[in-house]
């Protein structure tokens, strides 16, 4: 379970964290992400300039990245 990343816009916090289209986000700050709604809720519950830990799977391997949230564009 998780949320697939469809695309990553250049210059966004996701791009800065190294996330790529096709990655499967499985947790935010240690809280499981089961679907896109969970991912959206976790990001919306965080504050601008807050750092979040993103656990994701790429090509069968689990990775963790840190992103600093920005203002919605």
């Amino acid at each position: 379970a998780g949320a697939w990343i469809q695309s990553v816009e250049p210059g966004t916090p996701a791009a800065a964290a190294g996330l790529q289209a096709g990655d499967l986000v499985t947790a935010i700050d240690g809280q499981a992400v089961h679907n896109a709604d969970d991912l959206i809720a976790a990001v919306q519950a965080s504050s601008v300039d807050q750092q979040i830990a993103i656990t994701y799977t790429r090509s069968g391997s689990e990775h963790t990245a840190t992103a600093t949230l920005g203002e919605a564009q």
Side-chain angles (χ1 to χ4, degrees), residues 5-20:
I5 296 180
Q6 298 293 321
S7 64
V8 177
E9 296 297 320
T12 62
L19 296 174
Q20 299 177 4

Side-chain angles (χ1 to χ4, degrees), residues 46-72:
S46 302
S47 303
V48 172
D49 294 330
Q50 179 179 341
Q51 287 193 336
I52 58 171
I54 303 166
T55 305
Y56 64 97
T57 301
R58 179 184 297 156
S59 302
S61 297
E62 186 174 88
H63 305 274
T64 302
T66 300
T68 302
L69 299 179
E71 292 280 352

Side-chain angles (χ1 to χ4, degrees), residues 28-56:
I28 299 289
D29 285 339
Q31 297 294 315
V33 170
H34 299 286
N35 53 43
D37 289 339
D38 286 352
L39 177 59
I40 292 166
V43 171
Q44 288 179 340
S46 302
S47 303
V48 172
D49 294 330
Q50 179 179 341
Q51 287 193 336
I52 58 171
I54 303 166
T55 305
Y56 64 97

